[in-house]
Amino acid sequence: MLQTAYQNLSNVQNAIQQAEVYCSVAANNHLQGFIGLQKNYIAGLFIAKEYQSQHLGTNLLNVVKEKHQQLILDVYLENQRAIKFYQQNGFQITNHNNLEAKMTWLK
């Protein structure tokens, strides 16, 4: 996922400048991942491949859950791994079309 962010670096840089961003950094100062929000909309949650499945995404979600009453995001329907991850973290599908699902978390 983080590699995809690097491939679209100019888009990510623009989005980050307009977003509230929280990062997870390893002891060796390597960026493990980050979550970016625009108000209560999760614009992106990226975890570097070598750090996936270590609860970093859940930890980042928990940080923003403490600061918000509601969180919203969009996820591609074909990305069932992401949908399952968000559902395990309390998000529910609140709307969808042929390509994407809108998911919402309420405190």
Side-chain angles (χ1 to χ4, degrees):
M1 286 181 151
L2 200 53
Q3 184 175 2
T4 302
Y6 289 134
Q7 291 169 348
N8 298 306
L9 190 56
S10 63
N11 292 338
V12 172
Q13 287 172 331
N14 289 334
I16 287 174
Q17 290 175 359
Q18 300 174 18
E20 178 182 348
V21 178
Y22 299 90
C23 298
S24 177
V25 180
N28 61 6
N29 288 328
H30 287 159
L31 178 65
Q32 297 171 310
F34 64 90
I35 188 169
L37 291 97
Q38 295 174 332
K39 299 186 181 179
N40 70 331
Y41 179 77
I42 297 176
L45 172 60
F46 301 98
I47 304 297
K49 187 172 184 168
E50 63 268 28
Y51 296 108
Q52 291 179 4
S53 300
Q54 297 179 31
H55 305 289
L56 297 174
T58 297
N59 292 344
L60 287 167
L61 275 177
N62 287 338
V63 168
V64 297
K65 284 178 176 180
E66 290 178 13
K67 299 175 182 301
H68 295 273
Q69 296 294 312
Q70 177 187 43
L71 294 169
I72 300 168
L73 60 89
D74 293 305
V75 63
Y76 288 110
L77 289 173
E78 67 184 33
N79 192 348
Q80 288 297 306
R81 183 176 180 200
I83 290 172
K84 182 178 177 182
F85 167 77
Y86 289 116
Q87 287 175 326
Q88 289 173 337
N89 281 280
F91 285 77
Q92 296 182 352
I93 295 174
T94 51
N95 197 359
H96 66 85
N97 59 33
N98 291 337
L99 295 174
E100 294 181 317
K102 182 168 293 300
M103 299 187 78
T104 304
W105 171 84
L106 297 171
K107 192 175 267 188

